[in-house]
Amino acid sequence: MLQPEFFQKVIDQVHPHVTWLHLYFQGEPFLNPKFTDMIAYASSKGIFTSTSTNAHYLNKQQVDSILKSGLKQLIVSMDGVTQEVYELYRVGGKLEKVKEGLDLLLSERKKSGQLFPQVILQFLVTGQNEDQIPEVKKWAQEIGVDELQLKTTQIYEYENGSELIPSDLGYSRYIPDGKGKWKLKKKIQNKCWRMWQGAVVTWDGLVVPCCFDKDAHHVLGNLNHQKPIEVWNSDEYQKFRGQLLQDRSQIEICKNCTE
């Protein structure tokens, strides 16, 4: 679990150069009891803070802490408007808890007179829930979220098709290849803005190229014993950038990426 002392050390080193901080990566951030304290620390340094949640922990105490923290953007993942459909993707999740937590946050924000955090309702479109898009649009408007995002879903082993691929390919990252298989809709090109825009730091201090490196296969540095600027300009980072520009298709984490 990310420790506040380590977090503050890194923020102190990077805050003159960082404008936007995404405080989430492969987990539920509000499980960390010190999470809103860390948001507040980053906010105090003038950094725009954003996080993403499944909204199962938005109780009154948590909501009050969020509103005091200076958090600017909160993404709430809700991939179904009925429990039956919601739990197909969010296994073990309780849709009613999501709705209650989101309603509480929005009502308390209104009472406080604050504009932030801006709340984005994110709906991953799959073949299992695409018929609920009209209903989620209606519900999002009724509850008063600031934005609804209909997002395409990353699917592993998509080549042979999947029930998660929507029938409306406008919401799909994948299309038929004409030979009975599926392929990425967008061709992988030898470029990627992410390598020069930012990086991802895991809870234990490892620096990886981007959010597609979910299991930290490409460790480019370690902030426990390196400064961020040293990692950013390191030989390892430059080699990775060079490989990407030369032949990105040979990098495993890029093979299922639509950037």
Side-chain angles (χ1 to χ4, degrees):
M1 184 175 289
L2 180 62
Q3 298 301 309
E5 296 78 11
F6 172 72
F7 176 81
Q8 291 180 15
K9 182 190 79 170
V10 174
I11 293 299
D12 288 343
Q13 293 172 337
V14 303
H15 79 84
H17 311 287
V18 173
T19 57
W20 193 307
L21 182 64
H22 295 278
L23 283 162
Y24 58 96
F25 181 55
Q26 300 305 306
E28 171 51 50
F30 287 102
L31 286 173
N32 190 319
K34 297 293 185 180
F35 184 58
T36 52
D37 292 338
M38 289 185 274
I39 294 172
Y41 190 78
S43 297
S44 74
K45 298 294 183 178
I47 300 172
F48 186 101
T49 50
S50 171
T51 193
S52 178
T53 179
N54 60 33
H56 280 63
Y57 302 92
L58 296 182
N59 55 37
K60 182 63 166 63
Q61 182 179 354
Q62 194 73 271
V63 166
D64 288 344
S65 295
I66 291 170
L67 293 174
K68 293 175 183 177
S69 70
L71 182 68
K72 291 296 188 291
Q73 183 183 83
L74 180 67
I75 301 168
V76 175
S77 299
M78 194 184 90
D79 313 308
V81 292
T82 61
Q83 176 63 30
E84 181 183 19
V85 172
Y86 174 79
E87 67 185 7
L88 290 174
Y89 192 82
R90 302 285 170 181
V91 178
K94 302 298 182 184
L95 180 61
E96 196 58 36
K97 291 190 72 173
V98 178
K99 290 183 174 182
E100 288 175 358
L102 186 52
D103 185 58
L104 176 64
L105 174 62
L106 290 169
S107 62
E108 291 298 310
R109 188 186 70 174
K110 184 177 181 179
K111 288 179 187 176
S112 71
Q114 295 180 215
L115 297 176
F116 299 100
Q118 291 286 286
V119 177
I120 297 174
L121 185 65
Q122 188 175 89
F123 189 89
L124 294 180
V125 181
T126 71
Q128 299 168 331
N129 67 14
E130 61 183 317
D131 62 319
Q132 295 191 336
I133 290 175
E135 193 171 347
V136 76
K137 285 182 177 179
K138 180 182 178 182
W139 186 80
Q141 186 174 27
E142 289 174 349
I143 198 171
V145 297
D146 300 292
E147 183 180 347
L148 170 65
Q149 291 183 350
L150 302 177
K151 190 175 180 182
T152 60
T153 305
Q154 182 188 16
I155 301 169
Y156 294 108
E157 300 178 0
Y158 59 84
E159 293 86 353
N160 293 316
S162 167
E163 61 182 0
L164 293 176
I165 299 178
S167 59
D168 184 345
L169 297 183
Y171 294 114
S172 174
R173 300 185 187 189
Y174 315 96
I175 57 174
D177 67 358
K179 303 175 184 177
K181 298 286 187 178
W182 290 77
K183 65 179 181 179
L184 278 175
K185 182 184 291 184
K186 295 182 180 179
K187 183 180 179 181
I188 296 177
Q189 300 184 45
N190 294 330
K191 60 181 180 178
C192 183
W193 58 274
R194 289 181 180 271
M195 293 304 100
W196 289 266
Q197 176 264 352
V200 170
V201 181
T202 63
W203 68 272
D204 53 352
L206 303 180
V207 180
V208 297
C210 71
C211 60
F212 275 80
D213 194 0
K214 295 177 174 59
D215 297 312
H217 289 306
H218 300 275
V219 177
L220 303 175
N222 189 324
L223 298 188
N224 287 291
H225 52 76
Q226 291 175 282
K227 292 182 178 180
I229 191 66
E230 295 172 348
V231 176
W232 187 255
N233 294 321
S234 66
D235 290 342
E236 290 83 0
Y237 226 124
Q238 301 294 20
K239 288 176 183 177
F240 189 88
R241 291 184 179 112
Q243 182 183 3
L244 183 146
L245 293 174
Q246 184 176 19
D247 188 0
R248 186 170 164 227
S249 66
Q250 297 304 305
I251 303 174
E252 192 63 33
I253 62 172
C254 296
K255 291 180 180 181
N256 196 0
C257 176
T258 56
E259 290 292 352

